[in-house]
């Protein structure tokens, strides 16, 4: 997968809590379209990596709180 083939949904701004959740600030006019995401692609060290979502919910109108499946603290830190 190339970065040019992807749609820019937003930016992971920070970690949330101790369970490895992250906050995704979305850059879209219709955030409700993305409430059933199963995975997202994240650029880590210049490589586009698919991350599968365990749980997600809106923390604000345009901000998602995401928990990834099988993620580690190191992976979450690299995605920020």
């Amino acid at each position: 997968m190339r970065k040019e083939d992807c749609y820019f949904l937003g930016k992971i701004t920070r970690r949330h809590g101790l369970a490895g959740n992250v906050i995704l600030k979305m850059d879209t006019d219709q955030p409700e379209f993305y409430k059933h995401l199963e995975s997202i692609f994240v650029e880590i060290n210049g490589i586009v990596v698919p991350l599968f979502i365990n749980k997600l919910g809106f923390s604000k109108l345009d901000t998602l709180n995401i928990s990834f499946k099988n993620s580690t603290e190191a992976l979450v830190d690299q995605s920020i």
Side-chain angles (χ1 to χ4, degrees):
M1 172 74 52
R2 297 178 322 156
K3 184 176 176 180
E4 296 81 25
D5 297 331
C6 297
Y7 172 78
F8 181 77
L9 180 59
K11 181 175 179 163
I12 296 175
T13 58
R14 63 184 173 91
R15 293 177 66 160
H16 184 273
L18 300 174
N21 294 7
V22 295
I23 299 295
L24 172 70
K25 173 74 171 159
M26 294 190 297
D27 184 21
T28 179
D29 293 333
Q30 298 171 320
E32 64 276 2
F33 286 174
Y34 304 98
K35 64 182 175 185
H36 298 294
L37 291 174
E38 295 179 4
S39 65
I40 60 173
F41 288 92
V42 177
E43 183 178 9
I44 299 175
N45 297 329
I47 300 170
V48 180
V49 178
L51 296 177
F52 295 94
I53 296 172
N54 184 38
K55 186 177 177 183
L56 80 136
F58 283 95
S59 58
K60 293 183 182 175
L61 181 61
D62 62 347
T63 307
L64 285 175
N65 182 346
I66 301 175
S67 169
F68 295 115
K69 293 180 182 177
N70 301 326
S71 68
T72 62
E73 286 187 38
L75 180 66
V76 170
D77 288 341
Q78 288 179 352
S79 66
I80 297 175

